[in-house]
Amino acid sequence: KQEVTQIPAALSVPEGENLVLNCSFTDSAIYNLQWFRQDPGKGLTSLLLIQSSQREQTSGRLNASLDKSSGRSTLYIAASQPGDSATYLCAVIPFAGGTSYGKLTFGQGTILTVHP
Amino acid sequence: GAGVSQSPSNKVTEKGKDVELRCDPISGHTALYWYRQSLGQGLEFLIYFQGNSAPDKSGLPSDRFSAERTGGSVSTLTIQRTQQEDSAVYLCASSYGPTSGETQYFGPGTRLLVL
């Protein structure tokens, strides 16, 4: 059974710092990996999607890498801002003989606080 | 364009009552997913629809939970004889196609509290 772990569980940094959030998964047979952001009381917003054949994706100040063989992904946030404060969730779509149907397996999330 | 919408946004019910939660996916999205987010369990998959059929119901926690989708659009998640452990945020997501490479777009969720 695929398990996804995120470290750290919580992170507090001053504004302007560069930071890294970590995600690991136990089964390297995945279709893709997604990073989401969740604001309090809100749904999830997709940040980046990395296909299994890709190594990284970038969007603005965000960069996500994927090392499928070691079962790891990192989300790098450059020049953090207070508006980046949220819970960041990592999720994978396991490969299950071609019938995974796209269902996501999530980590527990990292709660990020960026203070001015 | 409009995103995924869910209703109600909040629901408080008494133990033993039935509840219905509604999801309106993004127009044209054929795949629809229900997830549950609870304090102790994190975010868990419940059921997947492709069109009106549900090829994967493996995440439904008990036979008190059921879901349907009509017209390839709106979906309803029904919980019968609610229990306190059903209290959670129920999230709906949709994606464009049946492949596993598509980004899923999430609704704001329905917060269910069972007293």
Side-chain angles (χ1 to χ4, degrees), chain B residues 62-84:
Chain B
S62 76
D63 58 8
R64 295 185 297 104
F65 288 72
S66 63
E68 65 175 10
R69 189 179 184 194
T70 56
S73 181
V74 172
S75 177
T76 302
L77 177 68
T78 301
I79 309 173
Q80 296 179 310
R81 304 180 304 281
T82 52
Q83 303 293 312
Q84 289 180 331

Tab-separated table of all heavy atoms in Angstrom, chain B residues 62-84:
chain	number	residue	atom	x	y	z
B	62	SER	N	-18.097	2.457	4.765
B	62	SER	CA	-19.105	1.479	5.185
B	62	SER	C	-20.276	1.545	4.225
B	62	SER	O	-20.343	2.420	3.354
B	62	SER	CB	-19.584	1.793	6.611
B	62	SER	OG	-20.478	2.891	6.622
B	63	ASP	N	-21.212	0.608	4.387
B	63	ASP	CA	-22.372	0.592	3.482
B	63	ASP	C	-23.366	1.699	3.823
B	63	ASP	O	-24.393	1.836	3.150
B	63	ASP	CB	-23.055	-0.778	3.500
B	63	ASP	CG	-23.520	-1.187	4.881
B	63	ASP	OD1	-23.458	-0.357	5.817
B	63	ASP	OD2	-23.934	-2.341	5.037
B	64	ARG	N	-23.073	2.512	4.824
B	64	ARG	CA	-23.916	3.677	5.079
B	64	ARG	C	-23.629	4.801	4.074
B	64	ARG	O	-24.399	5.737	3.954
B	64	ARG	CB	-23.690	4.202	6.504
B	64	ARG	CG	-24.104	3.243	7.596
B	64	ARG	CD	-23.967	3.872	8.969
B	64	ARG	NE	-22.586	4.221	9.319
B	64	ARG	CZ	-22.089	5.457	9.299
B	64	ARG	NH1	-22.864	6.480	8.950
B	64	ARG	NH2	-20.829	5.670	9.643
B	65	PHE	N	-22.498	4.675	3.389
B	65	PHE	CA	-22.068	5.683	2.421
B	65	PHE	C	-22.407	5.221	1.011
B	65	PHE	O	-22.125	4.081	0.633
B	65	PHE	CB	-20.553	5.910	2.503
B	65	PHE	CG	-20.094	6.652	3.720
B	65	PHE	CD1	-20.114	6.046	4.965
B	65	PHE	CD2	-19.637	7.960	3.615
B	65	PHE	CE1	-19.681	6.732	6.099
B	65	PHE	CE2	-19.203	8.657	4.744
B	65	PHE	CZ	-19.230	8.038	5.983
B	66	SER	N	-23.003	6.116	0.236
B	66	SER	CA	-23.274	5.825	-1.162
B	66	SER	C	-23.166	7.115	-1.959
B	66	SER	O	-23.227	8.213	-1.387
B	66	SER	CB	-24.664	5.203	-1.340
B	66	SER	OG	-25.665	6.130	-0.940
B	67	ALA	N	-22.992	6.987	-3.246
B	67	ALA	CA	-22.897	8.170	-4.100
B	67	ALA	C	-23.442	7.839	-5.466
B	67	ALA	O	-23.421	6.685	-5.904
B	67	ALA	CB	-21.442	8.654	-4.212
B	68	GLU	N	-23.940	8.861	-6.119
B	68	GLU	CA	-24.394	8.706	-7.486
B	68	GLU	C	-24.036	9.955	-8.267
B	68	GLU	O	-23.782	11.021	-7.700
B	68	GLU	CB	-25.898	8.445	-7.558
B	68	GLU	CG	-26.769	9.583	-7.076
B	68	GLU	CD	-28.244	9.306	-7.293
B	68	GLU	OE1	-28.615	8.165	-7.636
B	68	GLU	OE2	-29.035	10.239	-7.118
B	69	ARG	N	-24.034	9.776	-9.576
B	69	ARG	CA	-23.780	10.904	-10.470
B	69	ARG	C	-24.757	10.799	-11.621
B	69	ARG	O	-24.960	9.713	-12.176
B	69	ARG	CB	-22.339	10.866	-10.992
B	69	ARG	CG	-21.933	12.116	-11.754
B	69	ARG	CD	-20.502	12.035	-12.210
B	69	ARG	NE	-20.090	13.283	-12.850
B	69	ARG	CZ	-18.991	13.416	-13.584
B	69	ARG	NH1	-18.179	12.369	-13.761
B	69	ARG	NH2	-18.680	14.575	-14.126
B	70	THR	N	-25.369	11.897	-11.961
B	70	THR	CA	-26.385	11.895	-13.014
B	70	THR	C	-26.004	12.862	-14.121
B	70	THR	O	-25.407	13.925	-13.861
B	70	THR	CB	-27.756	12.287	-12.455
B	70	THR	OG1	-27.652	13.557	-11.802
B	70	THR	CG2	-28.249	11.257	-11.458
B	71	GLY	N	-26.332	12.478	-15.365
B	71	GLY	CA	-26.068	13.341	-16.506
B	71	GLY	C	-24.606	13.638	-16.713
B	71	GLY	O	-24.256	14.617	-17.379
B	72	GLY	N	-23.744	12.810	-16.145
B	72	GLY	CA	-22.317	13.040	-16.272
B	72	GLY	C	-21.866	14.325	-15.628
B	72	GLY	O	-20.784	14.847	-15.927
B	73	SER	N	-22.690	14.850	-14.717
B	73	SER	CA	-22.369	16.138	-14.116
B	73	SER	C	-22.477	16.058	-12.596
B	73	SER	O	-21.556	15.558	-11.948
B	73	SER	CB	-23.279	17.223	-14.685
B	73	SER	OG	-22.967	18.482	-14.125
B	74	VAL	N	-23.600	16.483	-12.049
B	74	VAL	CA	-23.759	16.616	-10.600
B	74	VAL	C	-23.637	15.259	-9.910
B	74	VAL	O	-24.131	14.242	-10.400
B	74	VAL	CB	-25.128	17.239	-10.280
B	74	VAL	CG1	-25.409	17.209	-8.791
B	74	VAL	CG2	-25.189	18.659	-10.820
B	75	SER	N	-22.985	15.285	-8.745
B	75	SER	CA	-22.873	14.083	-7.929
B	75	SER	C	-23.399	14.362	-6.528
B	75	SER	O	-23.255	15.482	-6.012
B	75	SER	CB	-21.418	13.623	-7.853
B	75	SER	OG	-21.288	12.493	-6.995
B	76	THR	N	-23.992	13.326	-5.943
B	76	THR	CA	-24.493	13.420	-4.573
B	76	THR	C	-23.879	12.302	-3.748
B	76	THR	O	-23.919	11.138	-4.151
B	76	THR	CB	-26.024	13.291	-4.533
B	76	THR	OG1	-26.605	14.314	-5.344
B	76	THR	CG2	-26.536	13.424	-3.108
B	77	LEU	N	-23.321	12.670	-2.610
B	77	LEU	CA	-22.795	11.704	-1.641
B	77	LEU	C	-23.799	11.639	-0.502
B	77	LEU	O	-24.135	12.677	0.093
B	77	LEU	CB	-21.428	12.142	-1.125
B	77	LEU	CG	-20.774	11.264	-0.044
B	77	LEU	CD1	-20.383	9.908	-0.619
B	77	LEU	CD2	-19.556	11.957	0.552
B	78	THR	N	-24.300	10.449	-0.216
B	78	THR	CA	-25.297	10.271	0.835
B	78	THR	C	-24.707	9.449	1.968
B	78	THR	O	-24.073	8.419	1.735
B	78	THR	CB	-26.542	9.551	0.285
B	78	THR	OG1	-27.104	10.329	-0.783
B	78	THR	CG2	-27.593	9.375	1.378
B	79	ILE	N	-24.912	9.944	3.175
B	79	ILE	CA	-24.499	9.206	4.364
B	79	ILE	C	-25.763	8.904	5.159
B	79	ILE	O	-26.472	9.815	5.584
B	79	ILE	CB	-23.510	10.002	5.232
B	79	ILE	CG1	-22.343	10.527	4.395
B	79	ILE	CG2	-22.982	9.132	6.364
B	79	ILE	CD1	-21.406	11.459	5.151
B	80	GLN	N	-26.032	7.637	5.339
B	80	GLN	CA	-27.216	7.227	6.096
B	80	GLN	C	-26.841	6.976	7.554
B	80	GLN	O	-25.723	6.558	7.867
B	80	GLN	CB	-27.805	5.956	5.489
B	80	GLN	CG	-28.320	6.138	4.077
B	80	GLN	CD	-28.870	4.843	3.494
B	80	GLN	OE1	-28.214	3.812	3.544
B	80	GLN	NE2	-30.082	4.890	2.961
B	81	ARG	N	-27.806	7.235	8.422
B	81	ARG	CA	-27.634	6.948	9.861
B	81	ARG	C	-26.273	7.468	10.340
B	81	ARG	O	-25.430	6.718	10.843
B	81	ARG	CB	-27.756	5.438	10.112
B	81	ARG	CG	-29.058	4.852	9.606
B	81	ARG	CD	-29.152	3.353	9.870
B	81	ARG	NE	-28.056	2.589	9.315
B	81	ARG	CZ	-27.939	2.234	8.055
B	81	ARG	NH1	-28.877	2.591	7.181
B	81	ARG	NH2	-26.900	1.525	7.641
B	82	THR	N	-26.075	8.765	10.202
B	82	THR	CA	-24.776	9.359	10.499
B	82	THR	C	-24.299	9.043	11.914
B	82	THR	O	-25.095	8.930	12.863
B	82	THR	CB	-24.813	10.888	10.320
B	82	THR	OG1	-25.912	11.419	11.068
B	82	THR	CG2	-24.940	11.264	8.859
B	83	GLN	N	-22.984	8.902	12.018
B	83	GLN	CA	-22.304	8.664	13.290
B	83	GLN	C	-21.347	9.828	13.544
B	83	GLN	O	-20.950	10.542	12.620
B	83	GLN	CB	-21.532	7.358	13.240
B	83	GLN	CG	-22.380	6.145	12.894
B	83	GLN	CD	-23.389	5.828	13.983
B	83	GLN	OE1	-23.046	5.780	15.155
B	83	GLN	NE2	-24.643	5.628	13.598
B	84	GLN	N	-20.941	9.988	14.802
B	84	GLN	CA	-20.042	11.093	15.139
B	84	GLN	C	-18.715	10.984	14.392
B	84	GLN	O	-18.119	12.005	14.031
B	84	GLN	CB	-19.819	11.153	16.646
B	84	GLN	CG	-21.059	11.630	17.401
B	84	GLN	CD	-20.848	11.700	18.887
B	84	GLN	OE1	-20.057	10.958	19.456
B	84	GLN	NE2	-21.583	12.603	19.533
